[in-house]
Amino acid sequence: MTSATAQTGARAFLEQHPDIESFDLLISDLNGVLRGKRIPRDNLIKAYRNGINLPASLFALDINGNTIEETGLGLATGDGDRVCRPIAGSLKPTPWLREGRQAQLLMTMEETDGQPFFADPRQVLRKVLDGLKAKGLTPVVALELEFYLVDRRRDDLGLAQPPCSPGTGERATQSQLYSINELDEYADFLEEIHQAAVEQDLPLDTALKECAPGQFEINLIHCNDALRAGDSAVLLKRLIKGVALNHGFEATFMAKPYGDEAGSGAHVHISLVDDTGRNIFASDDENPLGTPQLRQAIAGMLELMPASMAIFAPNLNSYRRFQPGLYVPMAPSWGYDNRSVAVRIPSGPNAARRIEHRVAGADANPYLLLATLLASVLHGLDNELNPPEPIEGNAYEQLAPSLTNSWLQALDLFAASDVMAERLGRDFHHVYHANRLAERAEAMRTVSTLEYDWYLRHV
């Protein structure tokens, strides 16, 4: 049962927002898709008091919402329910929906005995955080999310196309990285995102024009609560998609919506503070390569990177992003102030010394992405690993591509990793692998337009 304090807060919310008529109770599946229930206003306190029931098979769903029985969460166990409880602080208005007459509340799933449900991505992250807490360490994290705006009308071939600028009416055709003019042209869209984020207490930092037509990046401010950081990333995606529709666009976090343009990544910044609040990555002598602990953390990330690709690149489209020449890391590597490597130590004040992980796509589940990276950090610290020498200059010219661009191989590497199974939980490890493997099998049954164009008449 949720605390009386939380129920009191919910009643206060209802008093402060008399126009809100319904609430979306949301929980992230393995793909980061928000699922759940919509309840009327009068049922909110009941949801706080008793939670809501959802089937455990919610975490067996593929991207199309089909239950993957191989996970063991479906009919094999009777497809039974679990109780989902509200996440403190997540009850917020959704001003872009129904003229402000709707709100939302994040939930998390429990086992039948009240313990965290092993397959809930948020609870997977919590498990990893418990390991860091046992060492007296708290991660400070920030996420940078890239996305595309696309026209809701498809082109003559039925494919996605960049939107027409609200300012000029012209369809975007150029990169225009860091363009202020394009930020001006989309100012109303970006301002609505900002205002909605303020209402939802999402800690937005900067917005910038990315390096492809219709591509943008929005960053979240660093946060010393990694669970909240995951919540913020999941909710920011929903917000951006909803606001985009209000402006006549669609927003997509697909890793590679256009084959010849840059993909969309999710860069993650991580530092660790001890019980005194000291950043253990910041060297007393201000060495830009940080402390031994920072290098151990990097070594853990590099060692587990091949086995982590199934989390960083969770679907068929994800692997199209790994192409040379588009600022996507192709091999485990690290360096200082170097955007050609997989793990970068950004320049800046010594007190803010941190890691920037640059491999994952924007389509990765934020909770699972953070859990995997922090598990890798723990692996490096626990085993006092040492990384190779840092890369100086262009990593693409010095290292042959070694990170897989094969979904099947990534899943095989993930399945074979005892470290990943132990750090993330063996039951979760099985469910995730079975879910993704079944979705790949389904994808392989679909013949693409390209295959008809290339092979139908010629072979």
Side-chain angles (χ1 to χ4, degrees):
M1 181 175 292
T2 306
S3 70
T5 301
Q7 294 178 45
T8 299
R11 290 189 179 92
F13 183 93
L14 291 172
E15 292 176 2
Q16 294 164 8
H17 299 89
D19 295 332
I20 288 180
E21 300 172 351
S22 60
F23 293 82
D24 287 345
L25 309 186
L26 307 170
I27 190 165
S28 168
D29 73 4
L30 295 187
N31 279 297
V33 175
L34 287 173
R35 303 187 185 273
K37 294 182 177 180
R38 180 167 295 170
I39 63 171
R41 175 186 181 90
D42 293 344
N43 286 4
L44 180 66
I45 302 305
K46 178 182 176 183
Y48 266 86
R49 184 185 305 117
N50 302 326
I52 61 165
N53 284 345
L54 286 169
S57 59
L58 183 146
F59 301 111
L61 300 179
D62 66 10
I63 194 65
N64 295 311
N66 300 316
T67 300
I68 303 304
E69 293 293 343
E70 292 85 347
T71 61
L73 295 178
L75 294 175
T77 58
D79 201 13
D81 284 340
R82 299 291 189 278
V83 175
C84 299
R85 303 288 184 187
I87 294 172
S90 69
L91 179 61
K92 300 294 178 184
T94 50
W96 66 91
L97 291 172
R98 300 182 62 223
E99 299 178 336
R101 291 180 284 115
Q102 199 161 305
Q104 67 186 20
L105 177 63
L106 273 177
M107 313 292 284
T108 190
M109 188 175 283
E110 294 180 351
E111 299 276 13
T112 53
D113 62 359
Q115 294 300 307
F117 187 65
F118 74 90
D120 181 342
R122 194 176 193 272
Q123 300 294 6
V124 175
L125 174 56
R126 183 186 294 278
K127 170 183 168 63
V128 176
L129 290 172
D130 286 345
L132 284 165
K133 184 177 180 180
K135 297 176 75 71
L137 298 173
T138 299
V140 178
V141 302
L143 289 95
E144 303 172 350
L145 298 175
E146 298 171 346
F147 64 94
Y148 274 88
L149 294 178
V150 299
D151 199 319
R152 296 183 70 179
R153 297 167 298 177
R154 302 301 183 241
D155 66 14
D156 292 341
L157 297 176
L159 303 177
Q161 61 181 338
C164 294
S165 163
T168 67
E170 297 177 0
R171 194 173 306 284
T173 60
Q174 300 174 343
S175 168
Q176 296 302 339
L177 179 63
Y178 299 122
S179 169
I180 296 299
N181 285 342
E182 294 216 12
L183 292 182
D184 289 341
E185 291 172 17
Y186 289 86
D188 290 344
F189 163 70
L190 296 170
E191 179 60 23
E192 186 174 344
I193 288 175
H194 173 75
Q195 291 301 326
V198 169
E199 288 200 47
Q200 294 202 320
D201 291 331
L202 299 182
L204 296 197
D205 189 4
T206 57
L208 59 94
K209 177 66 183 65
E210 263 295 344
C211 60
Q215 190 184 33
F216 294 84
E217 176 181 297
I218 292 182
N219 302 332
L220 290 158
I221 296 173
H222 63 274
C223 176
N224 63 1
D225 182 343
L227 286 171
R228 187 184 174 208
D231 296 340
S232 295
V234 165
L235 294 177
L236 179 60
K237 284 187 174 185
R238 185 180 198 228
L239 187 160
I240 290 171
K241 284 176 169 287
V243 172
L245 289 175
N246 287 348
H247 288 260
F249 319 125
E250 289 179 85
T252 181
F253 292 86
M254 279 181 68
K256 193 76 168 177
Y258 305 116
D260 55 354
E261 298 288 355
S264 290
H267 296 173
V268 182
H269 294 249
I270 299 173
S271 59
L272 292 177
V273 297
D274 62 19
D275 289 338
T276 70
R278 179 180 65 92
N279 178 4
I280 70 167
F281 290 168
S283 175
D284 290 340
D285 63 4
E286 301 199 3
N287 181 347
L289 296 183
T291 60
Q293 292 98 323
L294 183 147
R295 294 188 286 277
Q296 290 167 10
I298 288 175
M301 285 185 172
L302 298 182
E303 183 172 299
L304 294 185
M305 196 172 285
S308 302
M309 288 296 289
I311 300 286
F312 302 155
N315 60 60
L316 176 66
N317 179 257
S318 305
Y319 294 88
R320 302 193 189 283
R321 177 169 161 263
F322 293 91
Q323 299 178 20
L326 292 172
Y327 284 91
V328 180
M330 306 290 286
S333 56
W334 73 289
Y336 173 73
D337 196 20
N338 187 337
R339 285 184 169 85
S340 70
V341 297
V343 179
R344 169 180 174 252
I345 301 176
S347 60
N350 183 60
R353 193 69 66 213
R354 64 193 186 277
I355 293 168
E356 180 191 16
H357 184 273
R358 301 173 55 81
V359 180
D363 51 353
N365 182 311
Y367 297 119
L368 298 181
L369 172 56
L370 289 173
T372 301
L373 293 180
L374 294 174
S376 300
V377 168
L378 260 174
H379 177 66
L381 295 175
D382 286 346
N383 294 284
E384 298 183 352
L385 302 180
N386 290 308
E389 289 299 308
I391 296 291
E392 296 182 4
N394 189 344
Y396 301 108
E397 295 179 348
Q398 300 178 50
L399 298 174
S402 60
L403 290 175
T404 183
N405 63 359
S406 161
W407 193 7
L408 182 59
Q409 185 179 30
L411 289 168
D412 288 345
L413 291 168
F414 179 80
S417 174
D418 283 338
V419 176
M420 295 292 288
E422 185 64 30
R423 297 285 181 179
L424 302 181
R426 293 192 178 276
D427 289 340
F428 168 79
H429 187 253
H430 163 74
V431 166
Y432 187 84
H433 178 260
N435 182 283
R436 300 290 78 216
L437 191 64
E439 184 172 304
R440 181 191 176 276
E442 179 66 24
M444 292 302 291
R445 286 192 282 270
T446 301
V447 180
S448 69
T449 301
L450 180 144
E451 291 169 82
Y452 286 122
D453 289 344
W454 283 17
Y455 306 121
L456 185 65
R457 290 180 298 156
H458 304 296
V459 297

